[in-house]
Amino acid sequence: MTLEILTRYLHFISIFTIAATVVAEYLLTKPNMTRSEIARLARIDGIYGLSAILAVAAGFTLWFAVGKPAEFYTNNWILHTKVGLAILLGIFSIPPTVFFMKQRKGPEDEQVETPKM
């Protein structure tokens, strides 16, 4: 019972962290940014990636190991919709992540134009 509760809390906290980092990235992104600003966004994006991994791991743990039987989740169309949306969000986050990782190194005060995404 305690493992189930801790796993659920980890899952929820990870999802809220994903939402917070997406909002932070949206608010901090500008048309022209310095490399130090891009490096900050790359760190925030790293937190996003870590929380996404934790959310998926906790979700699969809830699905297959603790809590309700796996058949409850396997036959639930709402879960499949949420998993599909999470996969779509992950796919959409690849281009900004690649941009942040490529552009974070270099002279800190150099201006970089961010692509329209």
Side-chain angles (χ1 to χ4, degrees):
M1 184 69 170
T2 304
L3 180 62
E4 179 185 0
I5 292 170
L6 291 174
T7 307
R8 287 189 190 281
Y9 275 120
L10 177 65
H11 190 65
F12 290 137
I13 290 169
S14 299
I15 291 170
F16 291 136
T17 304
I18 289 170
T21 54
V22 168
V23 169
E25 287 180 7
Y26 175 76
L27 293 175
L28 293 173
T29 303
K30 301 183 291 192
N32 288 315
M33 301 175 65
T34 64
R35 298 228 188 241
S36 62
E37 291 171 328
I38 291 174
R40 181 179 342 134
L41 279 173
R43 286 190 299 274
I44 292 171
D45 199 60
I47 295 169
Y48 165 80
L50 179 64
S51 60
I53 290 169
L54 288 174
V56 168
F60 279 126
T61 302
L62 288 170
W63 188 347
F64 295 112
V66 298
K68 297 177 183 174
E71 294 80 28
F72 174 81
Y73 294 110
T74 303
N75 299 323
N76 190 338
W77 67 271
I78 295 173
L79 173 80
H80 294 290
T81 303
K82 291 192 299 186
V83 169
L85 289 173
I87 291 170
L88 193 63
L89 180 66
I91 291 170
F92 284 152
S93 74
I94 292 172
T97 300
V98 170
F99 176 78
F100 295 147
M101 297 307 278
K102 284 184 178 178
Q103 298 296 327
R104 67 186 168 144
K105 298 201 182 203
E108 288 188 9
D109 57 345
E110 181 182 0
Q111 291 284 326
V112 177
E113 185 175 337
T114 57
K116 302 274 187 230
M117 293 190 195

mmCIF file of all heavy atoms in Angstrom, residues 2 12 15 21 25-26 34 36 41 45 47 53-54 74-75 80 88-89 97 101 109-111 116:
data_model
loop_
_atom_site.group_PDB
_atom_site.id
_atom_site.type_symbol
_atom_site.label_atom_id
_atom_site.label_comp_id
_atom_site.label_asym_id
_atom_site.label_seq_id
_atom_site.Cartn_x
_atom_site.Cartn_y
_atom_site.Cartn_z
ATOM 1 N N THR A 2 1.912 1.272 0.808
ATOM 2 C CA THR A 2 2.787 2.439 0.879
ATOM 3 C C THR A 2 3.522 2.637 -0.439
ATOM 4 O O THR A 2 3.674 3.771 -0.898
ATOM 5 C CB THR A 2 3.807 2.284 2.022
ATOM 6 O OG1 THR A 2 3.082 2.055 3.232
ATOM 7 C CG2 THR A 2 4.658 3.505 2.156
ATOM 8 N N PHE A 12 2.452 11.932 -10.046
ATOM 9 C CA PHE A 12 1.817 13.252 -10.079
ATOM 10 C C PHE A 12 2.844 14.381 -10.046
ATOM 11 O O PHE A 12 2.726 15.358 -10.793
ATOM 12 C CB PHE A 12 0.831 13.412 -8.918
ATOM 13 C CG PHE A 12 -0.406 12.577 -9.052
ATOM 14 C CD1 PHE A 12 -0.905 11.896 -7.959
ATOM 15 C CD2 PHE A 12 -1.068 12.457 -10.261
ATOM 16 C CE1 PHE A 12 -2.050 11.116 -8.071
ATOM 17 C CE2 PHE A 12 -2.220 11.679 -10.384
ATOM 18 C CZ PHE A 12 -2.705 11.012 -9.288
ATOM 19 N N ILE A 15 4.437 14.725 -13.415
ATOM 20 C CA ILE A 15 3.543 15.359 -14.390
ATOM 21 C C ILE A 15 3.467 16.865 -14.147
ATOM 22 O O ILE A 15 3.521 17.665 -15.091
ATOM 23 C CB ILE A 15 2.151 14.702 -14.349
ATOM 24 C CG1 ILE A 15 2.236 13.276 -14.889
ATOM 25 C CG2 ILE A 15 1.136 15.514 -15.144
ATOM 26 C CD1 ILE A 15 1.002 12.451 -14.676
ATOM 27 N N THR A 21 7.911 22.969 -16.387
ATOM 28 C CA THR A 21 9.065 23.216 -17.248
ATOM 29 C C THR A 21 8.635 23.646 -18.650
ATOM 30 O O THR A 21 9.293 24.484 -19.270
ATOM 31 C CB THR A 21 9.979 21.982 -17.337
ATOM 32 O OG1 THR A 21 9.215 20.855 -17.741
ATOM 33 C CG2 THR A 21 10.648 21.701 -16.008
ATOM 34 N N GLU A 25 9.831 27.140 -20.205
ATOM 35 C CA GLU A 25 10.479 27.241 -21.509
ATOM 36 C C GLU A 25 9.718 28.193 -22.424
ATOM 37 O O GLU A 25 10.328 28.987 -23.146
ATOM 38 C CB GLU A 25 10.593 25.863 -22.169
ATOM 39 C CG GLU A 25 11.627 24.984 -21.535
ATOM 40 C CD GLU A 25 11.737 23.621 -22.197
ATOM 41 O OE1 GLU A 25 11.096 23.403 -23.247
ATOM 42 O OE2 GLU A 25 12.465 22.776 -21.659
ATOM 43 N N TYR A 26 8.410 28.141 -22.394
ATOM 44 C CA TYR A 26 7.605 29.035 -23.223
ATOM 45 C C TYR A 26 7.831 30.498 -22.827
ATOM 46 O O TYR A 26 7.994 31.359 -23.687
ATOM 47 C CB TYR A 26 6.124 28.670 -23.117
ATOM 48 C CG TYR A 26 5.226 29.616 -23.860
ATOM 49 C CD1 TYR A 26 5.128 29.548 -25.249
ATOM 50 C CD2 TYR A 26 4.486 30.584 -23.193
ATOM 51 C CE1 TYR A 26 4.317 30.420 -25.943
ATOM 52 C CE2 TYR A 26 3.674 31.455 -23.881
ATOM 53 C CZ TYR A 26 3.584 31.372 -25.257
ATOM 54 O OH TYR A 26 2.782 32.251 -25.951
ATOM 55 N N THR A 34 20.808 35.018 -25.930
ATOM 56 C CA THR A 34 22.240 34.794 -25.757
ATOM 57 C C THR A 34 22.471 33.320 -25.468
ATOM 58 O O THR A 34 21.552 32.587 -25.097
ATOM 59 C CB THR A 34 22.801 35.650 -24.613
ATOM 60 O OG1 THR A 34 22.190 35.239 -23.390
ATOM 61 C CG2 THR A 34 22.566 37.136 -24.851
ATOM 62 N N SER A 36 24.044 32.098 -22.981
ATOM 63 C CA SER A 36 23.816 31.801 -21.562
ATOM 64 C C SER A 36 22.329 31.574 -21.295
ATOM 65 O O SER A 36 21.960 30.718 -20.480
ATOM 66 C CB SER A 36 24.368 32.914 -20.676
ATOM 67 O OG SER A 36 23.712 34.140 -20.934
ATOM 68 N N LEU A 41 17.946 27.451 -20.618
ATOM 69 C CA LEU A 41 16.828 26.691 -21.162
ATOM 70 C C LEU A 41 17.184 25.220 -21.358
ATOM 71 O O LEU A 41 16.333 24.341 -21.196
ATOM 72 C CB LEU A 41 16.375 27.291 -22.493
ATOM 73 C CG LEU A 41 15.470 28.513 -22.380
ATOM 74 C CD1 LEU A 41 15.214 29.117 -23.745
ATOM 75 C CD2 LEU A 41 14.173 28.164 -21.707
ATOM 76 N N ASP A 45 15.224 22.174 -19.844
ATOM 77 C CA ASP A 45 14.808 21.083 -20.708
ATOM 78 C C ASP A 45 15.308 19.735 -20.180
ATOM 79 O O ASP A 45 14.636 18.720 -20.334
ATOM 80 C CB ASP A 45 15.320 21.324 -22.133
ATOM 81 C CG ASP A 45 14.577 20.507 -23.149
ATOM 82 O OD1 ASP A 45 13.349 20.683 -23.253
ATOM 83 O OD2 ASP A 45 15.226 19.694 -23.834
ATOM 84 N N ILE A 47 15.578 19.039 -16.989
ATOM 85 C CA ILE A 47 14.633 18.731 -15.911
ATOM 86 C C ILE A 47 13.339 18.178 -16.508
ATOM 87 O O ILE A 47 12.751 17.227 -15.978
ATOM 88 C CB ILE A 47 14.362 19.980 -15.045
ATOM 89 C CG1 ILE A 47 15.639 20.394 -14.322
ATOM 90 C CG2 ILE A 47 13.229 19.736 -14.058
ATOM 91 C CD1 ILE A 47 15.557 21.751 -13.653
ATOM 92 N N ILE A 53 10.860 10.962 -17.912
ATOM 93 C CA ILE A 53 11.309 9.581 -17.672
ATOM 94 C C ILE A 53 10.710 9.052 -16.370
ATOM 95 O O ILE A 53 10.232 7.910 -16.307
ATOM 96 C CB ILE A 53 12.842 9.512 -17.664
ATOM 97 C CG1 ILE A 53 13.380 9.740 -19.075
ATOM 98 C CG2 ILE A 53 13.332 8.170 -17.111
ATOM 99 C CD1 ILE A 53 14.874 9.953 -19.135
ATOM 100 N N LEU A 54 10.719 9.874 -15.327
ATOM 101 C CA LEU A 54 10.145 9.444 -14.052
ATOM 102 C C LEU A 54 8.637 9.211 -14.163
ATOM 103 O O LEU A 54 8.104 8.261 -13.564
ATOM 104 C CB LEU A 54 10.443 10.477 -12.962
ATOM 105 C CG LEU A 54 11.877 10.540 -12.471
ATOM 106 C CD1 LEU A 54 12.054 11.705 -11.495
ATOM 107 C CD2 LEU A 54 12.272 9.235 -11.821
ATOM 108 N N THR A 74 -5.207 -1.918 -18.977
ATOM 109 C CA THR A 74 -5.041 -2.379 -20.354
ATOM 110 C C THR A 74 -6.317 -2.170 -21.161
ATOM 111 O O THR A 74 -6.248 -1.838 -22.346
ATOM 112 C CB THR A 74 -4.639 -3.869 -20.366
ATOM 113 O OG1 THR A 74 -3.445 -4.020 -19.592
ATOM 114 C CG2 THR A 74 -4.386 -4.368 -21.768
ATOM 115 N N ASN A 75 -7.462 -2.330 -20.547
ATOM 116 C CA ASN A 75 -8.740 -2.195 -21.244
ATOM 117 C C ASN A 75 -9.339 -0.799 -21.112
ATOM 118 O O ASN A 75 -10.500 -0.602 -21.479
ATOM 119 C CB ASN A 75 -9.734 -3.230 -20.717
ATOM 120 C CG ASN A 75 -9.248 -4.635 -20.946
ATOM 121 O OD1 ASN A 75 -8.642 -4.920 -21.971
ATOM 122 N ND2 ASN A 75 -9.499 -5.522 -20.002
ATOM 123 N N HIS A 80 -5.145 4.877 -22.685
ATOM 124 C CA HIS A 80 -4.497 4.825 -23.992
ATOM 125 C C HIS A 80 -4.475 6.210 -24.647
ATOM 126 O O HIS A 80 -3.508 6.555 -25.327
ATOM 127 C CB HIS A 80 -5.180 3.800 -24.890
ATOM 128 C CG HIS A 80 -5.014 2.398 -24.396
ATOM 129 N ND1 HIS A 80 -3.806 1.749 -24.440
ATOM 130 C CD2 HIS A 80 -5.888 1.542 -23.826
ATOM 131 C CE1 HIS A 80 -3.947 0.534 -23.927
ATOM 132 N NE2 HIS A 80 -5.202 0.392 -23.545
ATOM 133 N N LEU A 88 2.905 12.029 -28.125
ATOM 134 C CA LEU A 88 2.867 13.174 -29.029
ATOM 135 C C LEU A 88 3.619 14.367 -28.446
ATOM 136 O O LEU A 88 4.379 15.042 -29.154
ATOM 137 C CB LEU A 88 1.409 13.540 -29.323
ATOM 138 C CG LEU A 88 1.142 14.486 -30.464
ATOM 139 C CD1 LEU A 88 1.600 13.874 -31.783
ATOM 140 C CD2 LEU A 88 -0.343 14.806 -30.524
ATOM 141 N N LEU A 89 3.443 14.624 -27.157
ATOM 142 C CA LEU A 89 4.173 15.700 -26.497
ATOM 143 C C LEU A 89 5.680 15.445 -26.540
ATOM 144 O O LEU A 89 6.472 16.361 -26.788
ATOM 145 C CB LEU A 89 3.714 15.838 -25.042
ATOM 146 C CG LEU A 89 4.369 16.926 -24.206
ATOM 147 C CD1 LEU A 89 3.996 18.299 -24.738
ATOM 148 C CD2 LEU A 89 3.963 16.791 -22.761
ATOM 149 N N THR A 97 14.638 20.599 -28.001
ATOM 150 C CA THR A 97 15.731 19.993 -27.242
ATOM 151 C C THR A 97 17.004 19.943 -28.072
ATOM 152 O O THR A 97 18.087 20.288 -27.588
ATOM 153 C CB THR A 97 15.343 18.575 -26.781
ATOM 154 O OG1 THR A 97 14.190 18.663 -25.947
ATOM 155 C CG2 THR A 97 16.471 17.905 -26.028
ATOM 156 N N MET A 101 20.475 21.994 -27.188
ATOM 157 C CA MET A 101 21.729 21.266 -26.984
ATOM 158 C C MET A 101 22.814 21.718 -27.962
ATOM 159 O O MET A 101 23.980 21.808 -27.596
ATOM 160 C CB MET A 101 21.490 19.754 -27.124
ATOM 161 C CG MET A 101 20.550 19.197 -26.068
ATOM 162 S SD MET A 101 21.019 19.597 -24.393
ATOM 163 C CE MET A 101 22.226 18.358 -24.115
ATOM 164 N N ASP A 109 27.862 35.812 -24.631
ATOM 165 C CA ASP A 109 27.108 37.004 -24.995
ATOM 166 C C ASP A 109 26.704 37.028 -26.472
ATOM 167 O O ASP A 109 26.080 37.979 -26.927
ATOM 168 C CB ASP A 109 27.906 38.257 -24.649
ATOM 169 C CG ASP A 109 29.270 38.274 -25.326
ATOM 170 O OD1 ASP A 109 29.718 37.229 -25.810
ATOM 171 O OD2 ASP A 109 29.891 39.357 -25.344
ATOM 172 N N GLU A 110 27.024 35.983 -27.217
ATOM 173 C CA GLU A 110 26.648 35.926 -28.628
ATOM 174 C C GLU A 110 25.143 35.754 -28.762
ATOM 175 O O GLU A 110 24.527 34.950 -28.067
ATOM 176 C CB GLU A 110 27.374 34.754 -29.305
ATOM 177 C CG GLU A 110 27.059 34.641 -30.782
ATOM 178 C CD GLU A 110 27.757 33.454 -31.409
ATOM 179 O OE1 GLU A 110 28.485 32.723 -30.715
ATOM 180 O OE2 GLU A 110 27.550 33.246 -32.611
ATOM 181 N N GLN A 111 24.538 36.516 -29.668
ATOM 182 C CA GLN A 111 23.109 36.438 -29.908
ATOM 183 C C GLN A 111 22.806 35.331 -30.921
ATOM 184 O O GLN A 111 23.487 35.203 -31.934
ATOM 185 C CB GLN A 111 22.574 37.771 -30.457
ATOM 186 C CG GLN A 111 22.585 38.898 -29.451
ATOM 187 C CD GLN A 111 21.473 38.769 -28.446
ATOM 188 O OE1 GLN A 111 20.377 38.308 -28.750
ATOM 189 N NE2 GLN A 111 21.761 39.165 -27.227
ATOM 190 N N LYS A 116 11.427 29.503 -35.590
ATOM 191 C CA LYS A 116 9.981 29.455 -35.327
ATOM 192 C C LYS A 116 9.572 27.997 -35.238
ATOM 193 O O LYS A 116 9.868 27.203 -36.114
ATOM 194 C CB LYS A 116 9.215 30.129 -36.463
ATOM 195 C CG LYS A 116 9.601 31.560 -36.699
ATOM 196 C CD LYS A 116 8.823 32.448 -35.802
ATOM 197 C CE LYS A 116 9.103 33.888 -36.185
ATOM 198 N NZ LYS A 116 9.463 34.720 -35.098
#
